Amino acid sequence: MNRVKWQGLVALFALLLVGFAPAVFAQSATGNLYVTVRDTEGNNLPGVTVTVAGAGADRVQVTNAEGTARFLALDPGRVDLNAQLDGFSTVDYPNIQIRANFNTDVVVTLSAAVEEVITVTSESPLLDEKKVQAGTTVTQVELEKIPTARDPWSILNQTPGVLVDRINVGGNESGQQSVFRGPGVSDDENAFLVDGVEITDMAAIGASPTYYDFDQFTEMQFGTGGSDVTKSTSGVSVNLITKRGTNQFRGSARFLQTDASGPLWIKQSTPDISSSDLGPGQGALAGNKIGKIDDLGLEAGGPAKKDKVWVWGSWGKNDIKNFAANGGSDDTILENTALKINVQLSGSNSAVGQWNNGDKLKFGRNASPSRPDATTWNQRGPSALIKFEDTHVFSSNFFMTGTWSKVDGGFSLTSKAVVRD
């Protein structure tokens, strides 16, 4: 009996090791950096001090007998790497891109008896050799520079292999979720995550329980195949990574407005459509008409205590006034608030606590050519996410992360006719 118990404990420990192996981690808000240091002859160099500087405190490791160092659970963004060993050149490798749920491999070459500092100018690798999941990762630079409608569903529409049921033109579908599906799966298999925490709506399976402030995110990750074993469904996974505070104070504010002088209508896809095919009161043009959209907000973060505690927060509001194809009003207000605190408890332990709250007020839900304005609904749906996470790095080969999270969702519909009475 004792032998059976001992074998069971060994098996359980082995499963834990596999579960925490960095090459197969589940959907998360962090990425890993694998560094191999060699000399000019191609020999691996042990004992090299490797420092990674990024959003939080510097990470320092010494290469092992194989000349490797592993930096686990790094926040997304660009980091700078420095490698030093007595008797060899010092190498700086700036602007290495760390992506969520992604392993970055870097090879650094040190030259013997060279005292100068060598700076590597090549781009960091884009291919994750340890991962087989298909999909697309959109970084903060792309989110800021590529013009799109300001919601995750518009970005999702650009993901190869994903079919989306609508296109947001100038904001005419803002405040509306798209129905989408990946290769070979239905839309009810989709999953939504914020910073690695699944928040998928259990009532409308495969949908998001809330809407988002576009400027909250530093990265959006869309998985379409080869998902890890921890994912309960096989559909498209949408993992949205929020920003965090760094050692530098930074922030931004915005006020964007789209009015009726912008794109007004989406025309029927069939040019010879018969008027008998149109709904009651529907004209020759179908689609939402933009009245006015106001998008305002701010986000900012910085150190509460340099190299120890960082704070970031954001607030945003979208006031969307559209008209459905029948001329009825279809107005939506989206309001989002977020707060994140990162703490470096020790050189090998870090923690994060965050709160995200999104609320949607919609006046005229289900407005359409076949539905009179008085029969539509008014909607309210506040949803809050609370998360606490602690990560401890035991060695360059092993780390453990513990997470507690809670999603508190709400949803209500009230007849527009009842409200008027």
Side-chain angles (χ1 to χ4, degrees):
M1 181 64 68
N2 290 336
R3 182 179 180 182
V4 173
K5 289 183 177 179
W6 175 254
Q7 290 175 341
L9 289 173
V10 172
L12 176 60
F13 185 70
L15 286 174
L16 287 174
L17 287 177
V18 173
F20 289 113
V24 292
F25 61 87
Q27 294 286 338
S28 69
T30 59
N32 299 330
L33 174 62
Y34 295 79
V35 181
T36 301
V37 183
R38 297 170 180 162
D39 61 20
T40 54
E41 302 296 325
N43 301 311
N44 295 331
L45 287 177
V48 180
T49 301
V50 182
T51 303
V52 169
D58 292 353
R59 303 278 190 96
V60 181
Q61 285 198 24
V62 177
T63 57
N64 58 21
E66 288 76 36
T68 62
R70 299 173 176 87
F71 297 86
L72 310 175
L74 297 174
D75 289 292
R78 294 191 177 274
V79 300
D80 297 333
L81 182 150
N82 177 275
Q84 298 183 17
L85 179 64
D86 289 342
F88 288 82
S89 60
T90 296
V91 171
D92 287 333
Y93 199 141
N95 295 324
I96 298 174
Q97 180 69 48
I98 303 298
R99 289 179 279 172
N101 210 34
F102 190 91
N103 301 294
T104 301
D105 289 271
V106 171
V107 177
V108 177
T109 301
L110 302 187
S111 301
V114 177
E115 297 183 357
E116 63 184 11
V117 177
I118 299 174
T119 300
V120 180
T121 58
S122 62
E123 291 289 333
S124 58
L126 299 177
L127 178 64
D128 184 352
E129 298 177 353
K130 299 178 175 64
K131 184 177 172 186
V132 295
Q133 181 177 351
T136 298
T137 298
V138 183
T139 65
Q140 184 175 345
V141 174
E142 295 165 317
L143 292 174
E144 293 175 350
K145 301 300 183 182
I146 298 178
T148 65
R150 292 170 54 80
D151 65 51
W153 291 273
S154 296
I155 306 297
L156 182 66
N157 190 44
Q158 304 173 35
T159 303
V162 177
L163 300 177
V164 182
D165 72 335
R166 70 195 69 192
I167 299 176
N168 191 335
V169 179
N172 77 312
E173 290 288 347
S174 293
Q176 307 288 336
Q177 291 196 40
S178 300
V179 177
F180 59 93
R181 59 183 299 175
V185 293
S186 60
D187 58 272
D188 59 3
E189 296 286 309
N190 300 329
F192 278 83
L193 305 94
V194 173
D195 289 334
V197 176
E198 183 163 352
I199 62 169
T200 310
D201 194 336
M202 294 295 100
I205 299 176
S208 170
T210 188
Y211 292 76
Y212 308 97
D213 174 5
F214 194 75
D215 286 347
Q216 284 182 338
F217 303 114
T218 186
E219 190 170 289
M220 296 184 184
Q221 184 185 58
F222 306 105
T224 57
S227 300
D228 60 81
V229 295
T230 64
K231 190 173 182 294
S232 57
T233 59
S234 58
V236 179
S237 62
V238 180
N239 190 17
L240 307 173
I241 312 301
T242 58
K243 297 175 181 177
R244 57 155 291 172
T246 68
N247 276 331
Q248 292 183 337
F249 285 103
R250 58 157 303 279
S252 64
R254 69 182 187 274
F255 177 72
L256 309 173
Q257 187 176 83
T258 303
D259 57 28
S261 63
L264 300 183
W265 300 91
I266 299 178
K267 294 185 177 181
Q268 294 283 2
S269 58
T270 306
D272 58 346
I273 187 170
S274 171
S275 58
S276 61
D277 295 327
L278 301 175
Q282 183 180 6
L285 298 175
N288 289 346
K289 179 180 179 180
I290 299 172
K292 187 176 70 169
I293 301 175
D294 291 337
D295 181 353
L296 66 156
L298 55 89
E299 57 86 21
K305 184 177 181 181
K306 190 173 182 180
D307 291 333
K308 293 292 184 182
V309 183
W310 305 267
V311 179
W312 171 85
S314 73
W315 173 85
K317 182 178 180 180
N318 277 254
D319 189 353
I320 304 162
K321 291 181 170 58
N322 286 337
F323 296 96
N326 66 343
S329 63
D330 187 2
D331 299 336
T332 305
I333 296 177
L334 306 178
E335 188 168 0
N336 295 86
T337 308
L339 177 65
K340 179 184 283 188
I341 301 175
N342 293 80
V343 182
Q344 191 73 35
L345 298 174
S346 68
S348 57
N349 190 282
S350 60
V352 58
Q354 67 184 82
W355 172 72
N356 297 68
N357 187 73
D359 194 7
K360 176 179 180 178
L361 300 174
K362 188 169 183 65
F363 310 96
R365 178 185 168 101
N366 291 344
S368 70
S370 60
R371 186 158 191 168
D373 183 64
T375 67
T376 60
W377 301 90
N378 289 341
Q379 171 188 335
R380 186 171 189 266
S383 294
L385 164 65
I386 304 172
K387 171 187 173 182
F388 295 97
E389 182 173 281
D390 185 86
T391 298
H392 191 88
V393 179
F394 293 92
S395 71
S396 62
N397 294 319
F398 178 67
F399 77 102
M400 184 179 293
T401 297
T403 302
W404 178 90
S405 62
K406 179 180 180 180
V407 179
D408 186 6
F411 183 84
S412 65
L413 291 175
T414 306
S415 171
K416 200 169 184 179
V418 172
V419 174
R420 286 179 174 177
D421 291 339

